[in-house]
Amino acid sequence: MPLHVTESCLVFARQLGDEVVLSGFNLGMQSATVDLPIWKLGIENAEFRCPMSQQILSAAQGVLAVTIESEQSLLLVN
């Protein structure tokens, strides 16, 4: 399910049961900060973790704020 789509940035979700994986790509020359409407996945409050960096991001009230650096990608799991 696409959660954010622009000319240079795409973030989408894959969901199986309670597990959610968020994948994002920023092909632009500037970082992109976006508020993802994870309420569309039936999630209001949750923590997401990057399996590569171990960074943890918290969602509140159905929104997860993420920043994807220029020409980088993002992978988060709950």
Side-chain angles (χ1 to χ4, degrees):
M1 166 185 290
L3 296 176
H4 178 80
V5 179
T6 65
E7 185 176 301
S8 61
C9 187
L10 167 68
V11 181
F12 64 92
R14 291 289 182 252
Q15 190 171 24
L16 180 61
D18 291 336
E19 186 173 43
V20 176
V21 176
L22 302 175
S23 300
F25 305 91
N26 180 4
L27 302 178
M29 298 304 291
Q30 297 180 6
S31 65
T33 299
V34 295
D35 290 331
L36 302 175
I38 62 166
W39 58 266
K40 291 182 177 182
L41 305 170
I43 299 171
E44 287 296 318
N45 301 299
E47 286 190 342
F48 288 85
R49 179 184 56 81
C50 174
M52 296 173 283
S53 70
Q54 302 304 315
Q55 177 184 16
I56 296 176
L57 299 175
S58 297
Q61 299 177 349
V63 176
L64 177 66
V66 299
T67 298
I68 307 173
E69 298 301 324
S70 65
E71 299 181 331
Q72 297 293 314
S73 60
L74 172 77
L75 179 66
L76 298 171
V77 296
N78 69 338

